Amino acid sequence: MPASPSTARVINDRSALRLLQSEGPLTAAQLKTMTGLSRPTVADLVERLQGSGLIRVVGETGAERRGPNARVYGIVADRAHLAALDVRTQGVSLVVADLLGVTLAEAALPIGRDTGTEPAVERAAALLERTAREAGAPRLHSVGIGVPGLIDPVTGELRDSGGLPAWHRRLVAALQQRLPARIVLENETNLAAVAEQRTGAARDRDTFVLLWLGLGVGAALFLDGRLRRGASGGAGEIGFLPVPGTGGLPSASDCGGGFHSLAGSAAICALAAEHGLEVPGAPGPAAAAAVAAAVTSGHDAFLDALARRLALGAAAVASVVDPGCVVLGGETGHAGGPELAARVESFLSGLTPLPTTVRAGELGGGAVLRGALLRARDTAQEDLFGPGG
């Protein structure tokens, strides 16, 4: 059945707004060409969107030709403000942005394991509120939060986990109470996959697996253009995957003996030390630094040993979901770059008959924050660009 006039207007308005968001400021003539709508229809939607405060004239074009200049329209970026948080076991980093995702301010706060739950929550929440005020965004529309651990697919809440600090769950609840914003919570690895698919190494893929290599190890499944979370939100918990070479088996409460024992940051640091590489500092940053140093110095033995380990996990995932592409994400995957990715692909080809390319992530550890901001922006635009926006 043909759409009603009101439905058609909503569809046309959203189409124009999406184009203005993705392509930047456009003239009415450009909108007509890109949408395929008639000139009167475009004129009506431009007037409608201006009246609703969603777009405005941001310039003119046509000075190089005769006749009146054409007005250039752009989205009103300060119509809504967003925030994104990357919550890790050792602290939180955040960014405040406008409706187009342009960063207005950013901040970070280390939180030690000896910090009490309530002090940690108060410091993190206060940091967000202070950063938003300083950015000129005292009222946030949407806040995207990336966290380690499982998100319940029914309630959308972070599930209890003995391996994570208690302040993680309390922080989410506190922000929901303190802010009038919409809170969007997602697993950190899933957000990294969203970012790599939208703006990073998987831009040309609608099916791929992101293998997260940070302090811990995880995977995100992006299949047929959709993020797959699993029945309990645990799809991609590859740290618990039983693999050869660990000397044991994981348990329901401990991923030791699983793939984590081969590819987690502590395991990579130990492997680097075995090969004579210096690994100063905490395991997370040190693992990435060791891999980067090995790439720079051409330490083939270490890189091959690490690639063999990573290929085991990649082969297990490939044999189940046949993604065609594996992205090595996180700080360590980014540090290894194309050199490590090529070695993993070579070893992987000997473990599975399924053709699978391996790429280095382009966004590193920053992918989580980028993904959280994309989710916050999507949420705000879905609200503002909808019928009641």
Side-chain angles (χ1 to χ4, degrees), residues 149-166:
L150 304 184
I151 309 300
D152 189 304
V154 177
T155 65
E157 297 179 352
L158 179 63
R159 292 170 55 182
D160 282 318
S161 173
L164 296 176

Side-chain angles (χ1 to χ4, degrees), residues 98-319:
D98 63 23
L99 184 57
L100 291 175
V102 176
T103 297
L104 303 176
E106 50 192 330
L109 176 71
I111 298 177
R113 286 188 174 274
D114 57 345
T115 305
T117 298
E118 292 308 319
V121 169
E122 178 57 33
R123 292 174 193 173
L127 178 69
L128 173 59
E129 292 171 334
R130 182 170 65 252
T131 304
R133 287 195 303 271
E134 293 172 353
R139 184 180 179 86
L140 296 170
H141 181 284
S142 303
V143 179
I145 306 177
V147 293
L150 304 184
I151 309 300
D152 189 304
V154 177
T155 65
E157 297 179 352
L158 179 63
R159 292 170 55 182
D160 282 318
S161 173
L164 296 176
W167 63 267
H168 283 193
R169 295 186 80 249
R170 282 288 301 119
L171 175 61
V172 174
L175 292 179
Q176 289 171 330
Q177 294 169 359
R178 294 170 66 149
L179 300 177
R182 295 182 62 179
I183 306 296
V184 185
L185 187 64
E186 183 59 89
N187 171 267
E188 59 179 359
T189 305
N190 287 343
L191 288 177
V194 169
E196 291 286 2
Q197 199 272 337
R198 298 268 286 270
T199 66
R203 287 188 296 270
D204 61 337
R205 307 287 306 196
D206 62 2
T207 294
F208 71 99
V209 167
L210 178 113
L211 188 61
W212 178 261
L213 303 171
L215 184 62
V217 60
L221 312 181
F222 217 97
L223 308 178
D224 300 321
R226 292 182 58 191
L227 190 64
R228 307 291 178 168
R229 298 176 177 83
S232 63
E237 284 295 309
I238 198 173
F240 286 88
L241 182 72
V243 291
T246 64
L249 289 172
S251 69
S253 59
D254 185 2
C255 58
F259 185 56
H260 175 83
S261 296
L262 293 182
S265 57
I268 293 176
C269 286
L271 180 65
E274 290 174 13
H275 284 80
L277 289 167
E278 187 177 351
V279 284
V291 171
V295 171
T296 301
S297 64
H299 202 305
D300 293 339
F302 167 71
L303 292 173
D304 281 344
L306 177 58
R308 286 191 183 93
R309 290 184 174 193
L310 299 180
L312 288 175
V317 174
S319 67

